[in-house]
Amino acid sequence: MKKFAIVIAVLAVFGVEAAPKDNPPRKVLVGTVCRRFTGDFEARAACAGRVIDEIGARAKAEYVGRCADLIVLPEGQIKHEAKVAAGKPVPMADLKRTIGAAARRNGCYVAAGTYLVETVNGKDCVRNALVLFDRKGNIAGVYNKVHTAVKWGEPETKESESGISPGGDFPVFETDFGKVGFLICFDMSYADGWSELKRRGAEIVAVSSMSPQVFRPSLFAHQHQYYVVTATPRSQAAVITPLGFVKEKVDDESSLLTEIDLSYVMLHWSSQLKHGKALEEKFGKDAFGGIYEFAEDNGIFWSNRADLPIGRMIEAINVRPRDDEAARAERVAAGNRVAEHGTYK
């Protein structure tokens, strides 16, 4: 009887979450840029507007009847002065007049890196911030960089990043296409933001940065199973899948637009899947989309049919999501360990 109780407890710990059998496709057009903005505020804002217009026009041309959903701009590029990050914070009214107007005319959400000031306990605090504008050009949210950098050799009591005050929260913002969270540059180096955004339900994490790194964002994209979009002023910007692989990227002075689907499943290798070929044989190659990494024995798949969710497709070929398969295997192994040893080890 004791062994039976232990088995039940083990099964509860390793319970399988239901596959998203009935979730319809959820297509999202995301855009990003690898470009440095220069000049005074008006010149920088005008450059940002051209980038937003460029990506917005591409969305309308390549996806008839649709607008871009989210466009991410690099860290701190919308500011008044080229060299002094916090020397002259940007009034929100100026951001709405320029970046907000570009979001409105293109019917998309825009995340713009800038510097803001807010008064806390009677003191003005300058923030390294991302301002999220909605499709009508209104402010949908603000994220303040939590992990600010300090130069080695400076007193640890000195304000970081030329006078930037750190934020203290990792909010997730509801949009009409899904849940979005943000990180800014040095935030990438710390696990807390990545995990908190996952805990709060982020489906896309946009990283606005001065650093073009892709390895670290890919690591956390894989760990937490969300899409990551990076925007930088140099080298590369990328869209990374929940598998941790780069879906698309661009280099200096370029922008990209790509479609992702937030109703996806991740699948481990199985003989039934046939590296994705089984879905094509069953439903035809246009019914679904996917990326299968043969060398990693993992893939991500989504449906292109509104009447047939991807969860139903994989069920029809007797395949289950990767995490469900892993949990099921562990339940079986745990039960066998209990049966053999009398306790779970």
Side-chain angles (χ1 to χ4, degrees):
M1 191 69 180
K2 182 179 178 182
K3 287 185 179 181
F4 179 75
I6 293 172
V7 170
I8 295 299
V10 169
L11 293 182
V13 170
F14 293 100
V16 176
E17 294 185 6
K21 294 180 183 178
D22 299 309
N23 289 357
R26 198 149 45 103
K27 310 297 184 185
V28 179
L29 296 177
V30 294
T32 187
V33 61
C34 178
R35 185 173 299 179
R36 187 181 301 277
F37 303 160
T38 59
D40 60 13
F41 172 81
E42 295 299 333
R44 288 167 176 267
C47 183
R50 289 192 294 272
V51 168
I52 297 166
D53 290 343
E54 172 189 316
I55 296 174
R58 195 181 312 165
K60 292 174 182 177
E62 296 177 10
Y63 301 87
V64 179
R66 296 172 61 184
C67 295
D69 293 300
L70 175 66
I71 297 175
V72 185
L73 302 179
E75 177 190 15
Q77 294 297 293
I78 313 300
K79 59 184 180 180
H80 282 288
E81 302 168 31
K83 294 184 179 180
V84 182
K88 190 177 180 183
V90 177
M92 194 66 82
D94 286 348
L95 289 172
K96 291 186 70 174
R97 173 176 58 84
T98 55
I99 308 303
R104 182 173 62 251
R105 67 176 174 262
N106 288 282
C108 62
Y109 287 80
V110 175
T114 189
Y115 296 92
L116 303 177
V117 64
E118 63 178 344
T119 302
V120 180
N121 297 326
K123 178 185 176 182
D124 285 346
C125 296
V126 179
R127 310 289 194 191
N128 185 339
L130 269 175
V131 180
L132 178 65
F133 291 93
D134 67 18
R135 297 185 194 274
K136 295 183 179 180
N138 298 318
I139 297 168
V142 176
Y143 168 66
N144 296 316
K145 185 177 183 179
V146 171
H147 296 290
T148 53
V150 178
K151 290 182 179 179
W152 191 258
E154 288 185 342
E156 294 190 8
T157 55
K158 182 179 175 63
E159 289 182 309
S160 53
E161 295 186 18
S162 301
I164 297 297
S165 297
D169 192 27
F170 297 100
V172 169
F173 302 102
E174 293 269 5
T175 71
D176 59 16
F177 59 83
K179 296 180 179 181
V180 182
F182 298 103
L183 297 174
I184 299 176
C185 203
F186 203 35
D187 286 332
M188 284 190 288
S189 298
Y190 300 85
D192 60 342
W194 296 103
S195 59
E196 182 63 12
L197 292 176
K198 174 64 176 182
R199 189 187 72 81
R200 296 187 180 191
E203 298 171 290
I204 299 172
V205 174
V207 181
S208 178
S209 181
M210 293 296 289
S211 172
Q213 59 185 286
V214 165
F215 177 80
R216 196 188 308 266
S218 297
L219 171 70
F220 286 108
H222 177 87
Q223 179 179 351
H224 296 302
Q225 299 182 12
Y226 42 45
Y227 278 93
V228 174
V229 183
T230 69
T232 68
R234 66 174 178 89
S235 299
Q236 61 181 349
V239 175
I240 302 165
T241 75
L243 279 177
F245 289 94
V246 173
K247 181 179 187 290
E248 288 189 44
K249 69 177 182 178
V250 289
D251 55 15
D252 288 325
E253 301 303 309
S254 301
S255 61
L256 73 79
L257 174 78
T258 192
E259 183 184 70
I260 62 175
D261 194 315
L262 296 180
S263 289
Y264 60 84
V265 292
M266 293 200 297
L267 304 179
H268 191 265
W269 177 92
S270 69
S271 58
Q272 301 98 305
L273 181 60
K274 300 179 184 177
H275 312 133
K277 187 70 175 177
L279 287 169
E280 181 177 340
E281 293 172 352
K282 180 76 174 179
F283 301 104
K285 63 180 181 180
D286 296 328
F288 73 99
I291 303 169
Y292 188 84
E293 298 289 347
F294 183 80
E296 298 295 333
D297 282 338
N298 276 274
I300 181 170
F301 297 89
W302 54 88
S303 172
N304 291 331
R305 286 177 50 178
D307 65 325
L308 187 59
I310 188 62
R312 293 295 181 186
M313 287 186 181
I314 65 169
E315 185 179 61
I317 61 170
N318 199 27
V319 173
R320 296 296 182 272
R322 185 181 68 178
D323 289 353
D324 289 3
E325 292 281 8
R328 180 174 182 271
E330 181 55 29
R331 288 205 316 275
V332 172
N336 289 335
R337 287 194 293 268
V338 170
E340 182 177 349
H341 302 290
T343 183
Y344 174 71
K345 295 182 180 180

